[in-house]
Amino acid sequence: LVIDDYYSVLGLERQPFFESIKKWPSSTGLEGWEAIDKTVDLLRAARGNDIPVVYVHGLEGFVPWGRRAMRDRLSHLSAEEKAKANEIVDEIAPLPGDLVLKKAAASAFHGTPLVFWLNYHGIDTVIACGETTSGCVRASVVDGATYRYDMGVVEECCFDRTEASHFINLFDMHQKYADVV
C-alpha cells in the first residue's frame, strides 16, 4: 500500500528540506526522496513475488482534511506545477495492473473501496509505505488494524517532515498496530 507519494510532498526536484518548503510547503525534502528510492526497490520485490500493489492519494477537487486547504498552500505555483502536485512521482509510478485509489481523508481505508478489494482478493496482510509517517500512513495502519488486517510498515519507505515525528510514530505503530520492519 503506497500512500501519498506525490509531488506536493516532495517537490519537482530533489532539494534539502528548508529549500524545498519555500516552493512546496508540504515538502519533506531529501528524506522523502530517499524513501522514494527505497520504495523503488520495495515495489520491484513486491511485483517480482506477485504481490499486488495499491496506491492511494488525495482526491482532486475535494476539500482536503486538516487545517489548511491544499489550494491555499499551493496558490503561488504555476498551472503546470499545480497540475503535477497530486501526481504520484514518476520513480514509483503505477504500472498496468496496479490499483490506484483516490481518498478524501487521511486513511486509505476511509471512504474508499480498499476493504472490499482486499477481501475480494483474499488478502489479509497489508504492507504500508509512504507519507507522512505521523499522518496518512499512521491513519491507514490504525484503520487497517481495526479492520483486523495484519499490518506491516517498511521504515525506510516512509517519511515525515521531521525525524522525531517519523521515529516516534514508527515506534508507536510497532507497539500497537503493525510490524515495523
Side-chain angles (χ1 to χ4, degrees), residues 13-22 27-31:
E13 55 191 68
R14 294 175 185 238
Q15 295 179 311
F17 176 75
F18 287 109
E19 189 63 32
S20 187
I21 62 171
K22 290 176 185 174
S27 178
T28 55
L30 295 176
E31 289 180 10

Side-chain angles (χ1 to χ4, degrees), residues 1-5 56 65 103 105-109 126-145 151-155 157-160 166 169-170 173 177-178 180:
L1 180 62
V2 182
I3 303 164
D4 292 343
D5 283 344
V56 292
W65 57 95
K103 63 187 181 79
S107 171
F109 290 90
V126 177
I127 301 168
C129 65
E131 176 282 324
T132 60
T133 312
S134 63
C136 297
V137 172
R138 182 186 176 94
S140 299
V141 167
V142 171
D143 279 0
M151 297 301 296
V153 178
V154 182
E155 174 185 340
C157 298
C158 294
F159 53 104
D160 212 309
H166 173 70
N169 280 278
L170 287 172
M173 283 188 282
Y177 309 110
V180 176

Side-chain angles (χ1 to χ4, degrees), residues 54-113:
V54 178
Y55 293 82
V56 292
H57 65 109
L59 182 63
E60 296 170 54
F62 189 83
V63 177
W65 57 95
R67 296 184 320 158
R68 296 187 309 176
M70 182 67 72
R71 67 181 179 277
D72 296 337
R73 289 182 277 167
L74 302 179
S75 61
H76 63 284
L77 298 178
S78 70
E80 289 118 10
E81 291 168 328
K82 283 181 188 174
K84 293 264 316 172
N86 199 38
E87 286 183 23
I88 297 167
V89 297
D90 290 340
E91 288 82 349
I92 60 164
L95 298 179
D98 293 341
L99 178 64
V100 179
L101 299 174
K102 304 283 187 155
K103 63 187 181 79
S107 171
F109 290 90
H110 184 82
T112 73

Side-chain angles (χ1 to χ4, degrees), residues 33-48:
W33 283 109
E34 289 172 15
I36 295 298
D37 292 340
K38 297 289 186 181
T39 303
V40 169
D41 296 333
L42 177 66
L43 295 177
R44 184 179 306 117
R47 291 177 178 124

